[in-house]
Amino acid sequence: MTSTFSSRPLVRRSSEELGIPTAALLALADRLAEDGLDPHALLVARRGEVAFETAWAPYRQDRPALVYSASKTFTSLAIGFLADEGRVSLDAAAADLLAVVPPTGAPVITVRHLLTMNTGHTSAQIDALGEDPRELLHVTPEREPGTHFAYSSPATHALSAIVTALTGEALTAYLRPRLLDPLGIGERWMRSRGGVEHGASGYHLTVADL
């Protein structure tokens, strides 16, 4: 497909040129390390131009690293592309899309519920789930979907499974012409879990990618 947007390379200038005292940025970097926050890398930009960047060993600016739940952003964008292309409705039943037979009498969990982490499952239920992205739909939620937010990596992982079920492609392959190539994000590693790219916490990217 033809992209409707493109990116330009990140422009780097001295922090002083961008109106930020270098001493303040160095103090920020020192503070992050001293406070025991385990920083991996830091990039500070102003008006779209990079003023400061650093990384803490063993991490490097140019080496892709696991970005944990930032992966969820890319998975959600894939669902947005599918919706724009008319290939999925946000109100479609997730169980139908993944060919899952939910428990008898269980409420319908939609794509929208997965996106908003409002499946009705409690945190305890979510913690007990396994690696299969479809397992979430085999467990009757304790609350009515749409009424109870609980942070849910399984919900986002199920979205990755939906992308693959609808397109026949892995999440990142589907995103390649639509998002990754236009943004200039090269080949990166995405961890697989349960046979599906782990859209909740599996993407390895550089700071500049983000």
Side-chain angles (χ1 to χ4, degrees):
M1 66 177 288
T2 301
S3 171
T4 58
F5 63 95
S6 62
S7 67
R8 60 181 175 84
L10 292 174
V11 175
R12 289 167 169 79
R13 301 191 187 281
S14 73
S15 59
E16 302 292 342
E17 285 182 290
L18 293 172
I20 307 173
T22 301
L25 293 169
L26 293 173
L28 169 63
D30 289 342
R31 178 71 180 273
L32 289 173
E34 292 167 0
D35 284 356
L37 299 177
D38 187 29
H40 294 184
L42 172 68
L43 186 150
V44 177
R46 188 174 195 187
R47 294 190 292 270
E49 297 181 337
V50 177
F52 179 80
E53 53 191 329
T54 190
W56 287 261
Y59 301 97
R60 292 183 0 196
Q61 292 290 112
D62 61 345
R63 179 183 296 164
L66 179 63
V67 294
Y68 300 94
S69 285
S71 306
K72 292 179 171 67
T73 300
F74 292 86
T75 306
S76 299
L77 284 167
I79 294 294
F81 281 117
L82 283 171
D84 279 350
E85 293 168 6
R87 300 171 71 178
V88 72
S89 165
L90 299 188
D91 296 315
D96 292 343
L97 298 174
L98 293 178
V100 170
V101 179
T104 302
V108 174
I109 294 173
T110 67
V111 174
R112 191 184 305 276
H113 292 143
L114 296 175
L115 280 168
T116 57
M117 297 185 185
N118 262 285
T119 63
H121 294 94
T122 64
S123 295
Q125 286 183 301
I126 292 167
D127 290 343
L129 294 172
E131 300 294 314
D132 188 337
R134 296 165 177 79
E135 189 62 29
L136 181 76
L137 304 174
H138 284 297
V139 177
T140 301
E142 292 186 12
R143 309 284 184 85
E144 185 67 23
T147 67
H148 177 74
F149 170 84
Y151 190 83
S152 177
S153 287
T156 312
H157 192 28
L159 291 172
S160 179
I162 287 173
V163 171
T164 297
L166 292 178
T167 68
E169 298 179 284
L171 171 69
T172 52
Y174 172 73
L175 284 175
R176 173 59 55 196
R178 295 165 174 82
L179 182 74
L180 304 180
D181 282 345
L183 290 180
I185 298 176
E187 292 300 320
R188 300 289 185 259
W189 186 54
M190 168 62 97
R191 183 173 59 193
S192 177
R193 180 170 292 184
V196 174
E197 286 191 338
H198 193 8
S201 183
Y203 216 3
H204 292 67
L205 299 166
T206 66
V207 179
D209 290 337
L210 287 175

